Amino acid sequence: MLAKICVFGASSKVSVSLFTLRNIRIYSAVMSKFDLPDRLKGNDKSVWVEYIQLALKYKPLNLGQGFPDFHAPENVTKALVAATASDNPLLNQYTRGFGHPRLVHVIARLYSKLLNYDLDPNNEVIVTNGAYEALYATLQGHTNPDDEWIIIEPFFDCYVPMVKSAGGIPRFIALKPKSTNASLSSADWVFDRQELESLFNEKTKGIIINTPHNPVGKVFTLDELQFIANLTKKWNTLVVSDEVYEWIVYEPYKHIRIATLPDMYERTITIGSAGKTFSVTGWKIGWAYGPANLLHNLQVIHQNTVYTCNTPVQEAVAVGFEQELERFGQPDCYFVSLAKQLEPKRDYMAKFLNNVGMRPTIPEGGYFMIANWTALKDKVRLEEETDENRDYRFTKWMTKNIGLQGIPPSAFYSHEHKHLGEDNVRYCFIKKDENLKKAAEILLKWKSQ
């Protein structure tokens, strides 16, 4: 009916125009009320959302995202089947909000052993929706407006939006390779100690460390951790220690938990992940442990957002932990065997990246590899992509034209330091051997053209 209405005369046209303008003003006023809140502005972009969409569209061999493309350990997946089909009906219902009792008790057992400290499972352990939520609850629960958090670059990209959305201010220090030799190790990536010391002040709430490190693969040394610990004690700050890759460390390197250093347990919140520990990233179960007074803040956030996590998955993770504790330190313990399984994959990736002219950093831990791609710049038509940073243009062009996807490391730097990541690409090697071989073939074929 509205399509048949005609308006005659100039005065009618003016009335219609005024009506339209008034509606636009009203619409704008109403909609502006529902804009993204100020505390969230600038946090609306995600490299994962963008690159997953690229992968769905172009269907490359995906070495970007950090998840295995092979089966998780059978004992853990069978435990989930058993939990869901159990004679106990409560295993499919809500469980304790701060963590399924069986799971928090076995987590406390494990880390009491590792820390040489008797953890209280009910007050010094909390189970979360992945390590992601553990980080979120920590930063939301411990940040007042204008608190400063020191973040080591490159960082996992959620750290900064989590700090900002809580009203905090991120302060940055970059790991930089100290070696210019052809062969680089993640141990060569270091922070400037004087620069780090200068970031601490009365406004500093804490520092976020990630060891083993994503994306570099650095395993922080005792000397580095002790230097950080001394600064946190001097300035009375917190440490948030993201240790999700704690079991993926290659010989001869050793993972050191900063909470074990003198007088550090009482100021450290340590975060772990079942997804990384048992290669079940889709299960989204994480945890944090630390002193009860620090975990209380996480509990307040958790109970008012997530409240509780998936019960049968928690039961299965608990069973997995119990079984690994029985064979702890033995070759068939998954905490031992996973790194043994991944080490040849790491070495194979380093070899084929070298063969095509890239310059990889050999990681001491984790399952990512940073590689400098600039020796191949003449083979890449960067001008076909419009992104500001070269690594974004490189990885997008490779996804679309060569069929291999990596992740641009500048996504893991602050705006002022993105140039530090532009010459690199991040690849993931927790993949089937045949897919790593396929990646090598794709790159070698491209180089030979």
Side-chain angles (χ1 to χ4, degrees), residues 259-309:
T260 64
L261 301 188
D263 303 317
M264 286 304 295
Y265 179 78
E266 54 262 42
R267 65 178 63 254
T268 302
I269 298 168
T270 306
I271 291 169
S273 163
K276 306 303 189 294
T277 297
F278 292 111
S279 299
V280 285
T281 61
W283 286 17
K284 292 299 292 180
I285 290 294
W287 54 85
Y289 63 82
N293 64 307
L294 297 184
L295 285 200
H296 172 74
N297 299 34
L298 282 68
Q299 292 172 339
V300 171
I301 299 298
H302 180 79
Q303 72 188 13
N304 290 298
T305 51
V306 173
Y307 174 62
T308 191
C309 299

Side-chain angles (χ1 to χ4, degrees), residues 152-212:
I152 299 171
E153 298 174 302
F155 49 78
F156 190 59
D157 65 314
C158 71
Y159 295 172
V160 171
M162 286 180 181
V163 167
K164 288 183 174 179
S165 67
I169 299 171
R171 303 286 302 277
F172 301 101
I173 180 168
L175 296 172
K176 297 176 183 178
K178 63 183 179 182
S179 170
T180 56
N181 297 327
S183 178
L184 265 180
S185 162
S186 58
D188 293 317
W189 290 65
V190 296
F191 56 84
D192 183 286
R193 297 192 177 200
Q194 187 174 353
E195 183 183 357
L196 178 59
E197 189 168 7
S198 72
L199 292 180
F200 280 83
N201 61 77
E202 295 293 345
K203 294 182 179 180
T204 305
K205 175 56 69 76
I207 182 171
I208 306 172
I209 62 173
N210 176 207
T211 182

Side-chain angles (χ1 to χ4, degrees), residues 317-341:
V317 173
V319 171
F321 269 128
E322 290 166 359
Q323 292 172 343
E324 298 310 325
L325 271 171
E326 290 177 4
R327 51 187 177 231
F328 189 80
Q330 301 303 311
D332 60 342
C333 176
Y334 197 66
F335 303 161
V336 175
S337 65
L338 180 58
K340 297 291 186 186
Q341 179 185 1

Side-chain angles (χ1 to χ4, degrees), residues 61-63 67-71 430-433 435-436:
L61 178 60
N62 188 351
L63 298 187
F67 59 81
D69 62 0
F70 49 81
H71 288 294
I430 189 167
K431 305 295 179 182
K432 294 176 182 176
D433 289 345
N435 284 332
L436 294 176

Side-chain angles (χ1 to χ4, degrees), residues 138-154:
T138 298
L139 294 168
Q140 286 288 327
H142 280 283
T143 306
N144 284 308
D146 298 328
D147 280 347
E148 294 183 1
W149 284 93
I150 297 169
I151 298 175
I152 299 171
E153 298 174 302

